[in-house]
Amino acid sequence: ADMPRGETVLLRFGHPAFAPAVVEDLKAPQDGVIVTMVRGVLINGTVTLTDRMTPLAEATVLMRNSQPPYDSALTATDMRGAFVQRLLPGLYLFEVSAAQYRSPGWTKVLVPEDADTVQVELVAAGVGRIRGQVRDAVSGDAIPAALIRIEARGMTANLTRTGGAGVFEAQVAAGDNVVSVETVPGYGASPTGAVRITVPEGKTAELPTFWLKPLPSYDVRVIGHNGEPAGDAAVMLVRPAQFGWRFADAEGN
């Protein structure tokens, strides 16, 4: 009840004895919907700290399907750091989070179709913070809304953006992290590339400033085979890569 009439909705069903089920492309009102749940594959998992000896209790485990509709399941560890969940076959990404701990990046887990049980061992580390800034290499001005990618163990651990002052800050797992600036419209790639930094537990690690050089601007005129301006022509800058289309005016500019 109380669903927006005529709008497409997605329903997700969970049950401790079955794998999660997702029903897509439903439009309210609709009667007679049948949802079939299957038992799936039993996931027996454990979460320990990086010493692989100390169990992590009351931690949240997120399991995200890497295939459409990209649904996810949530569960928690018990006092022994163990958790149990049923999943449909497929490739999943597992992440652990707790008050003072988190997993260093995502862990890929393949759930085979022919398996009855899959054993999963996850590790978590104490958390720290990363702080840095992105600025214009010519003017020195801050660059807001720049996308920052943080990787750990070869997997994306966090995505964040710079604020109005060009500063970003993110919580990460303590240890080695790799930080890079994604493509920023109007700027070239950072000459420093990705920066590796070791983050102490409970501390904030300061990164050197990422300096981005603005790309030169220039005018382009588009003409047709007869030499007349091609008004409303659509142009995309492919190299260096920029997001979006530019449209020519009536003079082809």
Side-chain angles (χ1 to χ4, degrees):
D2 301 324
M3 299 302 297
R5 180 177 293 272
E7 294 295 327
T8 302
V9 298
L10 179 148
L11 298 181
R12 181 180 182 279
F13 299 86
H15 191 283
F18 295 90
V22 174
V23 181
E24 298 182 90
D25 299 329
L26 295 175
K27 288 191 175 182
Q30 188 171 155
D31 294 326
V33 178
I34 298 176
V35 180
T36 302
M37 302 189 75
V38 298
R39 293 186 63 82
V41 179
L42 182 65
I43 308 297
N44 282 322
T46 58
V47 179
T48 58
L49 299 183
T50 49
D51 60 9
R52 296 189 180 274
M53 299 283 290
T54 307
L56 182 58
E58 298 181 355
T60 300
V61 182
L62 171 63
M63 294 150 278
R64 179 172 295 165
N65 197 334
S66 65
Q67 300 153 319
Y70 307 108
D71 56 310
S72 59
L74 276 174
T75 189
T77 59
D78 60 18
M79 298 306 296
R80 298 177 292 108
F83 66 92
V84 176
Q85 177 69 40
R86 287 190 173 272
L87 296 174
L88 294 176
L91 180 62
Y92 290 81
L93 299 175
F94 282 52
E95 184 185 51
V96 178
S97 60
Q100 299 296 326
Y101 301 94
R102 66 178 297 164
S103 54
W106 295 86
T107 300
K108 291 182 179 180
V109 176
L110 178 63
V111 180
E113 292 186 5
D114 56 353
D116 294 324
T117 305
V118 173
Q119 302 291 330
V120 176
E121 296 181 358
L122 305 175
V123 296
V127 296
R129 300 191 73 84
I130 286 177
R131 190 175 188 273
Q133 58 181 322
V134 183
R135 307 191 77 86
D136 187 306
V138 176
S139 66
D141 294 339
I143 300 179
L147 181 62
I148 310 299
R149 182 180 298 274
I150 303 171
E151 297 182 345
R153 297 172 62 187
M155 296 288 290
T156 299
N158 206 333
L159 289 171
T160 187
R161 289 188 182 274
T162 56
V167 176
F168 65 91
E169 189 168 343
Q171 186 183 72
V172 297
D176 286 344
N177 288 266
V178 178
V179 185
S180 59
V181 180
E182 299 291 280
T183 301
V184 178
Y187 290 89
S190 170
T192 57
V195 175
R196 183 179 297 274
I197 187 170
T198 301
V199 181
E201 184 174 344
K203 304 289 186 180
T204 298
E206 295 283 347
L207 282 162
T209 300
F210 287 95
W211 295 99
L212 302 186
K213 186 177 180 181
L215 297 174
S217 60
Y218 51 89
D219 296 324
V220 175
R221 189 162 189 253
V222 185
I223 59 174
H225 63 87
N226 57 0
E228 294 296 320
D232 297 327
V235 181
M236 173 177 280
L237 187 59
V238 177
R239 190 177 296 111
Q242 291 231 2
F243 179 77
W245 292 87
R246 310 301 195 270
F247 294 94
D249 59 18
E251 300 300 321
N253 297 316

